[in-house]
Amino acid sequence: MSTILTPALTAHWDEPDAFTLAGYRRDGGYRALPKALAMEPDQVIATLKDSVLRGRGGAGFPTGVKWGFIPQGDGKPHYLVVNADESEPGACKDMPTLLNNPQALIEGIVIACYAVRADRAFVYVRGEVLHVARRLQHAVAEARDAGFLGDNILGSGFDLEVVVHCGAGAYICGEETALLDSLEGLRGQPRLKPPFPAIAGLYACPTVVNNVESIATVPWILANGAGDFAALGTEKSKGFGIFSLSGHVTTPGQYEAPLGTTLRELLGLAGGIRAGHRLKFWTPGGSSTPLFTDEQLDVPLDYESVQAAGSMLGTRSIQLFDETTCVVRVVLRWIEFYKHESCGKCTPCREGSYWVVQLLRDLEDGKGSEADLDKLLDICSNITGRAFCILGDSIEPAVKSSISLFRDEYLEHQRIGGCPFDPAASTLFTMESAR
Ligand SMILES: Cc1cc2nc3c(=O)[nH]c(=O)nc-3n(C[C@H](O)[C@H](O)[C@H](O)COP(=O)(O)O)c2cc1C
Ligand code: SF4
């Protein structure tokens, strides 16, 4: 059967021992490392640049270019920090990668550290996912026992230690500079940039911060060649990535496919919207990206096309909602999340997120007015661009796009004095199955 899928990271997730070192090696793992260690570090960076891998943590910054920013011959320690703090609503690709494929991440870490001349790497894992952290710790121990970590790796003279660090569980600690403060034992709040981490990151030393999926993709690129990677995807969004489908879809899960794949194609693989229902709205890149409807089913899911269509690819967290869903309720839930996770450092986000939640609650309860919609938009536009970090900017997109697409639905709440939807109808379990 022909398929648009390009399973690389996800290729062996159905094997019970894929997460072990033996399973990973049987499936071709650790082929890339000797190849990389035989190259000059700068050649490894050049290979990453040629692949045009763009960071998979949301912003899409080219990974090879980021590695190239690390100053050489500066006499300072260099660090790699892997961002495994995944926790935005709908984001669900890094945790399954860590559970099923931790050795791919470790192999990628060794290659990345060799390239940027770092002898210590940290993986910052969110604290709540203890089972994920334990699996990763086990994988690090296995890799070390086998000589893939530690001193003189594979006789190359290159030394590397990996520290698995558990965060206390704060969404803001996924923001790279807040993460660095947290790792240093400080309260996790964003730092002023510049200086960027490549110049003054962890312990004020040059630091690369990369997403789990970015680093776990590196061995595939080294093993198969930058050209094979760049041959997939679209002109400016190369390669493959994991699309996480959740919500009212028949088969939710992770679908690894070339960037530029459309939602219509992904839904073809995922069995479509749940039986008897139709798509109402969806997020292409998670809760911080403007909503799409069925009019965007054929938009290629690459950075440029999604932006041209008015949204953002983000972390490819595709949340799907059918016609039983109240859009006001969904947006309220998301903004409650941002309000809860706001670190409080800057006023627009700390106060603004609170006001937006108050207004949305009133609107969902049918106690608002049409004027509140304008007030909501006004507050949101005063947060965007005025907040200290991107968490603040994440509040406006869902609010603004939902009002633009579903203004009548907001007003219907006020007309009837409450929510016109039955929340039970949009749940994925019936009362019968819950008994
Ligand atoms: C509030 C906030 C939360 C973030 N959470 C994550 C996260 O959980 N994982 C991640 O990789 N990047 C996250 N990022 C993006 C990081 O700051 C950074 O851009 C990313 O780790 C860089 O990796 P990449 O170049 O490989 O994409 C977050 C950014 C913000 C503003
Ligand atoms: S935008 Fe929000 S999360 Fe970011 S620094 Fe300001 S208060 Fe903290």
Side-chain angles (χ1 to χ4, degrees), residues 246-248 263 267 273 278-284 289-297 318-332 334 398 401-402 405-406 409 421 426:
S246 65
H248 293 139
L263 179 60
L267 278 177
I273 296 298
R278 60 176 175 78
L279 179 62
K280 179 174 173 182
F281 61 94
W282 57 289
T283 64
T289 62
L291 302 181
F292 276 168
T293 63
D294 57 1
E295 287 186 15
Q296 283 81 25
L297 276 172
I318 300 178
Q319 295 170 273
L320 299 136
F321 300 91
D322 69 22
E323 80 292 347
T324 62
T325 317
C326 171
V327 73
V328 186
R329 194 180 177 91
V330 170
V331 174
L332 169 62
W334 285 336
S401 60
S402 65
L405 290 166
F406 301 103
E409 192 169 310
F421 291 86
S426 65

Side-chain angles (χ1 to χ4, degrees), residues 17-38:
D17 65 345
F19 68 92
T20 64
L21 180 62
Y24 183 62
R25 295 190 77 177
R26 183 192 59 233
D27 296 333
Y30 285 105
R31 268 191 308 134
L33 182 57
K35 225 170 153 177
L37 293 176

Side-chain angles (χ1 to χ4, degrees), residues 142-196:
E142 270 200 306
R144 206 174 187 288
D145 288 348
F148 294 119
L149 292 175
D151 291 341
N152 192 21
I153 296 170
L154 302 183
S156 63
F158 176 60
D159 308 332
L160 177 69
E161 294 297 344
V162 173
V163 176
V164 177
H165 178 96
C166 289
Y171 171 64
I172 192 55
C173 290
E175 195 282 332
E176 58 184 10
T177 59
L179 186 159
L180 295 176
D181 263 16
S182 170
L183 202 49
E184 289 182 11
L186 304 169
R187 182 175 180 163
Q189 288 190 315
R191 297 176 180 174
L192 191 64
K193 290 191 269 190
F196 290 94

Side-chain angles (χ1 to χ4, degrees), residues 195-234:
F196 290 94
I199 305 301
L202 190 64
Y203 308 121
C205 291
T207 303
V208 167
V209 183
N210 269 137
N211 170 257
V212 167
E213 189 186 354
S214 311
I215 295 294
T217 303
V218 168
W220 193 97
I221 293 171
L222 266 291
N224 296 278
D228 278 14
F229 187 81
L232 295 165
T234 58

